[in-house]
Amino acid sequence: MSCIFCQIVAGELPASIAHEDELCIAFMDIHPLGRGHVLVVPREHGVQCTEVSAELMAHIFRVARRILVAQRQLGWGLPGTHILLNDGAAANQTVPHIHVHVIPREKGDTLRSVARLTLHVTRIFGQAAPRVELERQARSLRDCMMAMMADSDSTAVTDRD
Ligand SMILES: [Zn+2]
């Protein structure tokens, strides 16, 4: 199995997991383009979003939205976020397994840093974040999402479907 995201899903490669359920996992990007940059990945292998069911993609985006809410509750970045899917190598998809980026914008960051997403530069030159920091962020997100689920009065997240 050569797909690195399938290896992460199988637990064969390390990742700092922010969320997991029967359909997908979400983990911290090792080359973050913003504080708390998360990737949401279906457990099922597919390169492009049309290779899996529309229901699965809907679930992926539902989880991405939940991550976004948690990032904001944690005060990471500005109330502005990129939810981004590069669908296919021609769109500069760097890992050939469907993944949705959830990237909080930071005050003072530049479009240049986010533009790196549409290039391959990040994977080539990007500095890997320290694992201990990624683990800390993943734990914060897990705790925050747990609290959101416990708070049934929360209007921040409507995920009852
Ligand atoms: Zn895969």
Side-chain angles (χ1 to χ4, degrees), residues 3 5-6 45 97:
C3 172
F5 286 175
C6 280
H45 180 85
H97 181 131

Side-chain angles (χ1 to χ4, degrees), residues 62-76:
R62 207 151 46 221
V63 170
R65 180 182 182 279
R66 204 183 299 160
I67 298 276
L68 176 154
V69 172
Q71 288 167 334
R72 295 220 181 131
Q73 287 196 0
L74 290 164
W76 294 351

Side-chain angles (χ1 to χ4, degrees), residues 96-156:
H97 181 131
I98 298 160
H99 56 286
V100 171
H101 298 265
V102 189
I103 314 164
R105 289 302 296 264
E106 294 281 350
K107 193 166 191 220
D109 71 2
T110 62
L111 268 178
R112 202 161 59 89
S113 62
V114 174
R116 286 194 302 171
L117 269 176
T118 60
L119 306 167
H120 286 259
V121 190
T122 309
R123 304 294 168 195
I124 300 165
F125 299 110
Q127 195 85 317
R131 176 63 61 195
V132 62
E133 174 63 12
L134 297 179
E135 284 295 326
R136 202 184 58 75
Q137 290 179 343
R139 188 169 348 104
S140 297
L141 284 172
R142 287 198 306 271
D143 290 348
C144 189
M145 285 188 281
M146 200 91 82
M148 284 172 0
M149 280 165 73
D151 177 13
S152 58
D153 294 331
S154 172
T155 53

Side-chain angles (χ1 to χ4, degrees), residues 40-58:
V40 187
V41 172
R43 290 185 183 276
E44 180 184 343
H45 180 85
V47 180
Q48 293 191 254
C49 70
T50 45
E51 294 172 27
V52 300
S53 71
E55 290 71 24
L56 178 53
M57 288 311 300

